[in-house]
Every structure is written in structure tokens, then in C-alpha cells.
């Protein structure tokens, strides 16, 4: 089995997915499963703009705590983090501090509103997930 965690983040929401490719007697099977959906209640309640930087930093810490727990429970080979450039900047120091960090790839786009199918297609178009008919885990030469 080859597992990739995908964190899709904006300033008010973080969605965590796993993409697993399994070799079974019938052939390869892969699936994208949404594991958690975090909402920042402070951001949703419409706080004033002068507090947005503080809210972003606090939500980034919440995201990193939740992500760390998820990665410990189901260790990945790779982690893909999709977020706006600002939120990537908020997350990046904490990503570097993850215990047993997997290979980390960053996508500087907000993809939080995509359905799981649309997310899979988008990540395939970036070369980050291989099309489901292809065998095996991605190799550096494939990207």
C-alpha cells in the first residue's frame, strides 16, 4: 500500500484526505477518502480585519495539531499541502517540525471548495497523483 495525505486549507477551513493505492489480487485499487473537515469558528463568525493575522496563525496551529494526530494514526509516504500562499507561509514552519516527516509537496492554490473527485482530477493535472490506471507509487521521474 502507498498512502498520501492531502491537506486542503484556506483561512477558515481545512480538509484532510488520504489517497491510498492498494495492490489486490484483482489489480490495483486506489481511493481518495476525506478523513476530517476542520472549520475555524472565529473566522466564520466574521471577526474584524485587524485580527485576521492572529486568527490565521491560531488556525494554522490548530491545523498542524490535527494533521500531526492524523499522520501518527495513519503514517503516509507523502503529504500534499494545498493552500493559498499566505496560509502556506503560516503552515510551513510547523510542517518542518512534524515527527517523522514524510515527503512534503506544496500546491499554492486554495482547493477547499472542490469535491473529492474534482480534487483528484486537479492533483492529477499537477502531476501529484498518478492517473488511477497507472501502476505503482509515483517516482520523481514521473513528476
Amino acid at each position: 500500500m502507498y498512502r498520501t495525505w492531502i491537506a486542503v486549507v484556506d483561512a477558515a477551513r481545512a480538509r484532510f484526505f488520504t489517497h491510498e493505492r492498494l495492490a489486490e489480487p484483482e489489480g490495483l485499487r486506489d481511493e481518495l477518502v476525506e478523513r476530517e473537515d476542520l472549520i475555524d469558528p472565529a473566522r466564520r463568525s466574521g471577526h474584524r480585519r485587524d485580527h485576521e493575522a492572529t486568527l490565521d496563525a491560531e488556525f494554522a496551529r490548530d491545523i498542524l495539531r490535527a494533521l500531526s494526530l492524523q499522520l501518527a494514526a495513519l503514517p503516509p509516504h507523502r503529504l500534499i499541502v494545498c493552500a493559498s500562499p499566505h496560509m502556506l507561509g503560516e503552515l510551513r514552519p510547523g510542517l518542518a517540525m512534524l515527527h517523522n516527516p514524510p515527503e512534503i509537496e506544496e500546491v499554492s492554490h486554495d482547493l477547499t471548495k472542490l469535491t473529492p473527485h474534482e480534487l483528484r482530477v486537479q492533483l492529477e493535472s499537477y502531476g501529484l497523483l498518478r492517473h488511477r490506471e497507472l501502476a505503482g507509487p509515483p517516482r520523481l521521474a514521473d513528476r
Side-chain angles (χ1 to χ4, degrees), residues 6 8 13 15-19 30-37 111-124 129 132:
I6 303 163
V8 184
R13 185 178 188 194
R15 298 169 67 198
F16 302 140
F17 297 84
T18 55
H19 178 261
D30 76 338
E31 58 187 17
L32 183 67
V33 176
E34 187 163 359
R35 301 287 180 167
E36 189 170 358
D37 189 352
L111 305 177
T112 56
K113 293 175 181 58
L114 298 181
T115 66
H117 174 75
E118 292 167 336
L119 178 62
R120 176 198 302 265
V121 169
Q122 192 66 49
L123 293 176
E124 286 174 355
L129 293 181
R132 64 182 67 193

Side-chain angles (χ1 to χ4, degrees), residues 10 14 37 41 48 62 65 88 91 120 129 134 138 140:
D10 70 12
D37 189 352
R48 295 185 335 226
D62 292 344
R65 274 191 294 275
L88 275 175
L91 293 168
R120 176 198 302 265
L129 293 181
L134 298 178
L140 288 177

Side-chain angles (χ1 to χ4, degrees), residues 8 23 73 77 93 99 105 110 131:
V8 184
H77 296 91
H99 180 68
E105 310 234 18
D110 176 5
H131 193 273

Side-chain angles (χ1 to χ4, degrees), residues 58-91:
E58 289 173 3
F59 190 47
R61 284 191 295 276
D62 292 344
I63 291 166
L64 289 163
R65 274 191 294 275
L67 183 60
S68 183
L69 291 172
Q70 293 283 2
L71 296 179
L74 291 171
H77 296 91
R78 291 175 47 213
L79 168 62
I80 300 171
V81 180
C82 308
S84 68
H86 173 73
M87 283 306 289
L88 275 175
E90 294 287 344
L91 293 168

